[in-house]
Amino acid sequence: MAAPTYLIVVGASAGGMPALVEFVAHLPAAIPAAILVVQHFASDFDGQHLVDRLARHTALPCRLPADGEPLKASTLYLAPPDRHLLAKDGSVPHLLVTKGPRENHYRPAADTLFRSAAVAYGARTVGVVLTGMLYDGTAGLEFIKRCGGVTIVQDPGEAEFPSMPETALQNVDVDYVVPLHQMAALLAEITHSPPPPPQPLIPDDLRQEAAIAERVVGDTTSVERIAHLVPLTCPDCGGNLWEVNEGNVLRYRCHTGHAYTADSLLHNSQQHLEETLWVALRMMEERKNLLTGMATRGTAAYSAQQQEKLGDIKKHINRLREFLLAGSNPSTVATPED
């Protein structure tokens, strides 16, 4: 089978399994493209189960690829669980399957796949973001746009989980917003058109980032070429973070290879803040219980002193509980009266 003229790269998360079934069911068997799919699932998920499920609904061969496998047209490749799937150009375009650092806390990650495809195939790359939660795929669509490719998102109005399509639309000038049942016809039209001329120059920062992913583990020298150091730490490894210099989607990387959009990093910091506050609330409750016991056992003067401390900590507990129950939004929390 011939090498593909186009690469179609697809990212899906929550609600993705039924969406992918509908997506592949309408694809023509002779499409002159390879279809590379990232679906977020647990690291111990049986990827072959999804491959078999998709194969029942399409005439396209569906595979869990091996590292180094040549790319073939009219074939669907699903990223294996807990492995990044990358496209690589060369005399024979092929796939890389790696256990590199997570991006946006995901492995496999749509952003990782989309970037590699954009660098390998340039304007002959088509990126598709389907249903899902949070932010994976947004930066990836911008990578594809910067290399001259085509970007598509599922209509958020029909997506089971619209967060991924909506975030992409908010941050990227997406070419097409279509429901699932219209996507196959659009992809057939795009891929049967004459291939666009190659991009005169793939952006160097994207080549650098693609090279980091291919090497599996990055280094400080590599990340310093494309980003500048900022006073933030990587939530996955605790190392320093660099802010990426190029692109409209604000992104961060650490030197080992973890990468985040600003939205993903903000969401992560919110989760960690909430966890820390719940621990603080538990410790304050324990201190309150201890002070209550001390106040009932001591002399009158000693009890009065503990009661004063008890009153103060009860105020702190009430304020913190209100803060947490309001979703950690300080603007919704009234300040307790003194």
Side-chain angles (χ1 to χ4, degrees):
M1 192 175 292
T5 306
Y6 286 84
L7 285 189
I8 298 171
V9 288
V10 183
S13 188
M17 291 178 71
L20 286 168
V21 167
E22 184 175 353
F23 172 79
V24 303
H26 301 289
L27 288 173
I31 191 166
I35 300 96
L36 281 54
V37 178
V38 161
Q39 163 67 48
H40 297 155
F41 33 51
S43 60
D44 59 352
F45 181 82
D46 180 7
Q48 190 61 45
H49 169 75
L50 180 54
V51 167
D52 294 342
R53 182 176 175 183
L54 295 176
R56 291 196 294 269
H57 296 272
T58 180
L60 294 169
C62 299
R63 300 181 48 78
L64 281 179
D67 187 44
E69 184 169 332
L71 274 166
K72 297 179 181 179
S74 305
T75 303
L76 183 145
Y77 302 91
L78 177 72
D82 202 31
R83 297 291 187 275
H84 287 309
L85 181 62
L86 308 174
K88 179 68 174 173
D89 58 357
S91 56
V92 178
H94 58 281
L95 296 167
L96 302 177
V97 179
T98 76
K99 199 170 183 179
R102 300 175 188 273
E103 297 203 20
N104 290 318
H105 307 291
Y106 293 115
R107 186 176 56 222
D111 283 349
T112 311
L113 169 62
F114 287 17
R115 179 179 54 240
S116 70
V119 170
Y121 264 63
R124 295 178 294 144
T125 308
V126 183
V128 181
V129 168
L130 302 180
T131 174
M133 298 179 67
L134 303 179
Y135 319 104
D136 195 25
T138 293
L141 289 183
E142 189 190 33
F143 302 151
I144 291 170
K145 290 284 289 187
R146 291 179 62 201
C147 294
V150 178
T151 53
I152 303 170
V153 301
Q154 181 183 3
D155 183 349
E158 68 151 27
E160 184 176 356
F161 295 87
S163 176
M164 272 174 56
E166 286 176 345
T167 304
L169 288 171
Q170 290 164 6
N171 290 277
V172 182
D173 184 17
V174 172
D175 297 306
Y176 300 97
V177 183
V178 294
L180 275 174
H181 70 275
Q182 295 179 11
M183 212 166 276
L186 174 60
L187 290 170
E189 179 184 347
I190 292 170
T191 56
H192 282 92
S193 302
Q199 279 285 96
L201 186 65
I202 299 295
D204 185 62
D205 62 295
L206 295 185
R207 287 194 182 277
Q208 293 280 351
E209 288 198 77
I212 291 171
E214 291 169 13
R215 291 197 303 270
V216 180
V217 178
D219 57 74
T220 303
T221 302
S222 297
V223 75
E224 284 179 339
R225 295 190 185 117
I226 58 173
H228 60 276
L229 192 63
V230 291
L232 297 170
T233 55
C234 175
D236 281 320
C237 69
N240 293 328
L241 281 180
W242 280 258
E243 183 179 311
V244 178
N245 298 327
E246 303 295 336
N248 294 322
V249 177
L250 182 57
R251 296 187 300 117
Y252 299 88
R253 298 190 68 95
C254 76
H255 75 271
T256 60
H258 299 115
Y260 314 89
T261 63
D263 283 335
S264 175
L265 202 60
L266 183 64
H267 178 79
N268 180 267
S269 67
Q270 176 75 11
Q271 286 185 313
H272 285 187
L273 174 62
E274 185 171 330
E275 291 168 4
T276 301
L277 291 175
W278 280 112
V279 171
L281 180 60
R282 187 260 300 166
M283 295 177 70
M284 286 183 180
E285 289 282 4
E286 292 176 357
R287 180 173 171 80
K288 181 192 74 173
N289 295 337
L290 181 59
L291 286 169
T292 300
M294 294 169 67
T296 59
R297 290 295 186 94
T299 63
Y302 182 77
S303 295
Q305 183 183 34
Q306 304 314 314
Q307 286 288 357
E308 183 179 354
K309 292 180 180 179
L310 189 58
D312 288 340
I313 200 165
K314 283 180 178 179
K315 289 180 183 179
H316 294 314
I317 288 172
N318 289 336
R319 176 68 186 275
L320 188 52
R321 183 178 286 115
E322 289 175 13
F323 185 77
L324 285 163
L325 294 179
S328 300
N329 182 356
S331 65
T332 65
V333 181
T335 302
E337 295 180 0
D338 293 330

